[in-house]
Structure formats: structure tokens, C-alpha cells
Amino acid sequence: MENSKKQEMATYSKLGLYRSSKSKRRRSAVEDKGLEIFIGDNRTGRPWVKVLRAHYDEAWTQALERLRSARVRPT
């Protein structure tokens, strides 16, 4: 196993994540249920993490509101 793969698996292990988080098919099956989604990517430092869709949507909405309010303010 190459070093980057070992680091990736070590990261997942330290975070208590299962290999099912790495499987695109299994992530899709979880997301299809609609309650949870996965955020992250395939890089070593950004493992796939399962979060509640409602929490993700709320955080995304708040971020958009902050961005919009920053654009509206006169400079």
C-alpha cells in the first residue's frame, strides 16, 4: 500500500470513520434516503464525513446570507 493510501486510512481510523464512508456506492445509498449527506473529497486531509442534511442546509443558508449582506454594504 502506498504512503498516501496509508495516510488516508489512518485519517479515517483516527476519526472513527468506516470504510463505508469511502465507497461512492455506499455514500450514494445513504444520501438517497435523504436524511444525511457526505461532505469532503478524496484527498488525505479531507475524508468523507456524514452530516445531517438539515444541519448542512442551515449552515449553507447562513453562509449565503453573510455573503449577501457583505455585498450590500457600501464600501
Side-chain angles (χ1 to χ4, degrees), residues 5-42:
K5 187 67 170 180
K6 286 180 183 179
Q7 289 175 336
E8 185 178 11
M9 294 313 297
T11 300
Y12 273 80
S13 178
K14 287 177 186 176
L15 293 173
L17 300 173
Y18 299 101
R19 289 186 64 94
S20 61
S21 298
K22 289 188 53 55
S23 166
K24 185 175 182 178
R25 189 182 84 236
R26 290 183 184 180
R27 288 193 312 266
S28 292
V30 169
E31 289 181 346
D32 287 345
K33 293 177 184 176
L35 183 61
E36 299 166 317
I37 62 170
F38 284 88
I39 57 173
D41 61 27
N42 287 324

Side-chain angles (χ1 to χ4, degrees), residues 39-52:
I39 57 173
D41 61 27
N42 287 324
R43 291 186 282 171
T44 303
R46 296 180 180 234
W48 292 101
V49 178
K50 184 170 44 172
V51 297
L52 290 174

